[in-house]
Amino acid sequence: MAEPTETEAKPTRAYVIHPDLAGRTQRREPEHALAEAVALAHALPGIEIAGDEVARLRKPDAGRLFGKGKLAEIGERLKDAEVDLVLVDGPVSPVQQRNLEKDWGVKLLDRTGLILEIFADRARTREGVLQVELAALSYQRTRLVRAWTHLERQRGGLGFVGGPGETQIEADRRAIDEQMTRLRRQLERVVKTRTLHRAARAKVPYPIVALVGYTNAGKSTLFNRLTGAEVLAKDMLFATLDPTMRAIRLPGANGGQGRKIILSDTVGFISDLPTELVAAFRATLEEVLEADLILHVRDISHPETEEQAADVAEILESLGVDEDVALIEVWNKIDALSADTRAALRRTDARTQGIQAVSALSGEGLDDLIAAIDAHLSDALDEPKTEAVVTLPFSDGRRRAWLHEAGVVQREESGENGLTLHLLWTDRQKAGFDALSAPDQDDDA
């Protein structure tokens, strides 16, 4: 008798469509938007791209998005390619989704649904999972007209021929609302924990530098280069979702140690990021709001790098990031450019304040970037240092270690009553020290 063998699950054959509405001013070229949509599709596991196209429309049909001719034309291609899933790179109403699935005999996801699927697959931390689930329920609540198959079998009314039962829809909507309330409560608890962690970091008052940028701009690769961490970095949209923070010390002058900072890697942005996700991930992105310096990482080799930068700027504005927060544009991936173009960019960044051309992959330009980070923090924080003398009992090893770790101790003397430390520190560092409690009593001066 032959032994049973495991068979791999058959991949889902997907077809990607980017609707291009005639007469509508768009920031991006349709072909580039389609390429991004295909990259999004590749980010889903178990997907095989059977085809893609830009579908040009004079105006969207209210019931089916596409007109009769285009509907039949695409339907033939889907049938020939044996497609299981259609991904429409744009908004599709619940009614349009239901009708298109019925006409084409396939499952259909719009852009928001696709991004939610990717986030659901990638979320790892408890907070990330809760945020994605909350966003998915918020999205699903508006689509009860087609998302719940049992509604097709329900009939409303008392003996009359009716449509899907309204009572059942209301019951499902109420169930979703209750689940969303539970998720919000759980998320609030997680956010409280994050707030406590933030308060703990305030006691060690190092400046926060946040990496932001369009998805796949190379933020995680740069983060790994600067910190020595091993955050997942792949040539894939939304390779990482959950924020990562590391404390690092910048190199100082003459090979010494410089200032210590906390570097934060955040989720990548994208054009038309679903509003449900922006709201759900606001707690995660609060690290950006707390930042003393923002590094806007751009894929300078991308043909639409300017459009991507504009999308990131819009999202930062919607999050409420202050305009006066110091920002450096990091023109990444110069290794993908020709030698002449790369040299020209390096000359530009040398002449232009707030721009650094680098390759996170090869390390080119990173020394200049680190120097720029240090200079910007000095200007942004504008922290004059003052001298102080602190006496600590011999038993207060914790606060002594804190002062040495903060790099503020000029010299230390041992006396009968304890240790006398001569300090040079900023108001921020003094506040962090004052927030620490002494073993028995406060001996701050």
Side-chain angles (χ1 to χ4, degrees):
M1 181 178 175
E3 293 187 7
T5 56
E6 291 186 7
T7 57
E8 292 186 5
K10 182 182 175 183
T12 301
R13 291 178 61 79
Y15 194 89
V16 184
I17 303 173
H18 174 75
D20 180 28
L21 298 177
R24 189 179 73 174
T25 56
Q26 298 184 63
R27 179 185 290 162
R28 316 183 69 186
E29 290 294 325
E31 289 71 22
H32 291 150
L34 176 64
E36 181 179 276
V38 170
L40 279 172
H42 278 300
L44 268 181
I47 293 291
E48 177 185 332
I49 305 300
D52 58 77
E53 67 174 278
V54 173
R56 291 179 168 80
L57 308 172
R58 281 198 293 268
K59 70 174 186 176
D61 181 84
R64 285 175 168 79
L65 184 63
F66 305 100
K68 289 183 179 178
K70 180 63 73 175
L71 194 71
E73 180 185 324
I74 295 175
E76 284 298 319
R77 282 197 282 275
L78 299 179
K79 186 178 179 181
D80 292 342
E82 298 180 348
V83 168
D84 309 302
L85 172 67
V86 171
L87 303 171
V88 178
D89 183 38
V92 178
S93 73
V95 172
Q96 290 170 339
Q97 185 171 354
R98 180 189 62 188
N99 290 337
L100 288 173
E101 288 185 343
K102 186 176 178 182
D103 291 345
W104 289 338
V106 297
K107 171 72 177 170
L108 185 141
L109 283 176
D110 66 357
R111 183 181 177 87
T112 298
L114 173 59
I115 293 175
L116 284 171
E117 289 282 348
I118 295 170
F119 273 51
D121 180 64
R122 300 287 168 74
R124 292 292 178 267
T125 65
R126 177 64 175 156
E127 183 179 11
V129 171
L130 288 173
Q131 287 169 330
V132 172
E133 192 173 347
L134 184 61
L137 284 172
S138 176
Y139 171 73
Q140 191 181 60
R141 189 182 187 280
T142 66
R143 313 183 85 78
L144 288 177
V145 67
R146 53 80 41 205
W148 298 66
T149 56
H150 65 270
L151 299 185
E152 302 289 344
R153 302 191 296 269
Q154 296 291 329
R155 290 295 177 183
L158 299 172
F160 298 100
V161 177
E166 188 174 343
T167 302
Q168 184 63 53
I169 290 178
E170 290 303 321
D172 289 331
R173 185 172 289 125
R174 186 166 55 253
I176 287 179
D177 288 342
E178 290 171 357
Q179 177 66 359
M180 289 176 69
T181 301
R182 284 194 294 271
L183 286 172
R184 287 194 183 100
R185 286 174 183 159
Q186 293 178 55
L187 196 53
E188 282 173 8
R189 289 195 290 271
V190 177
V191 170
K192 283 180 182 176
T193 303
R194 181 181 288 278
T195 304
L196 291 174
H197 290 167
R198 189 178 290 123
R201 285 198 301 274
K203 293 182 179 180
V204 185
Y206 305 130
I208 295 176
V209 178
L211 296 172
V212 302
Y214 208 80
T215 183
N216 213 31
K219 296 187 310 304
S220 295
T221 304
L222 180 60
F223 183 85
N224 290 343
R225 269 275 179 181
L226 293 175
T227 65
E230 295 184 356
V231 174
L232 176 65
K234 294 180 66 177
D235 184 17
M236 178 186 291
L237 301 188
F238 299 121
T240 51
L241 288 186
D242 298 309
T244 308
M245 306 190 78
R246 292 286 188 278
I248 63 170
R249 192 177 290 279
L250 300 176
N254 302 320
Q257 289 190 330
R259 77 168 73 233
K260 197 167 186 178
I261 67 170
I262 294 176
L263 194 65
S264 172
D265 185 18
T266 59
V267 62
F269 299 157
I270 196 169
S271 63
D272 302 321
L273 188 67
T275 54
E276 294 90 351
L277 278 175
V278 174
F281 274 76
R282 185 173 293 275
T284 301
L285 294 169
E286 279 177 1
E287 300 296 350
V288 179
L289 299 179
E290 298 288 328
D292 297 290
L293 173 64
I294 293 175
L295 301 185
H296 176 187
V297 183
R298 292 175 53 180
D299 178 358
I300 204 65
S301 68
H302 195 281
E304 291 195 325
T305 183
E306 294 296 336
E307 289 79 6
Q308 291 181 351
D311 288 328
V312 171
E314 283 182 5
I315 294 175
L316 288 177
E317 185 179 351
S318 72
L319 288 171
V321 175
D322 280 337
E323 291 183 1
D324 26 338
V325 173
L327 185 145
I328 298 176
E329 278 200 4
V330 181
W331 291 358
N332 191 28
K333 301 191 181 182
I334 60 173
D335 55 287
L337 302 172
S338 67
D340 291 342
T341 305
R342 190 161 65 247
L345 285 179
R346 296 282 283 146
R347 287 194 296 271
T348 299
D349 86 16
R351 294 193 303 266
T352 311
Q353 188 175 12
I355 293 176
Q356 294 294 321
V358 307
S359 168
L361 196 62
S362 69
E364 183 180 356
L366 289 189
D367 289 341
D368 292 339
L369 172 61
I370 290 171
I373 291 172
D374 192 50
H376 270 72
L377 286 174
S378 297
D379 294 340
L381 299 176
D382 191 24
E383 296 177 306
K385 294 184 177 181
T386 57
E387 293 183 350
V389 178
V390 169
T391 300
L392 301 178
F394 292 113
S395 60
D396 196 354
R398 187 168 70 95
R399 291 201 298 170
R400 176 179 176 270
W402 188 97
L403 290 170
H404 280 282
E405 177 67 16
V408 300
V409 179
Q410 300 298 295
R411 71 178 189 275
E412 179 180 289
E413 300 166 351
S414 180
E416 292 183 4
N417 299 324
L419 297 167
T420 300
L421 296 95
H422 297 261
L423 313 176
L424 183 64
W425 60 7
T426 65
D427 289 343
R428 174 196 289 251
Q429 289 167 326
K430 182 181 183 302
F433 177 76
D434 290 343
L436 296 171
S437 58
D440 298 313
Q441 58 182 0
D442 289 330
D443 294 311
D444 293 340

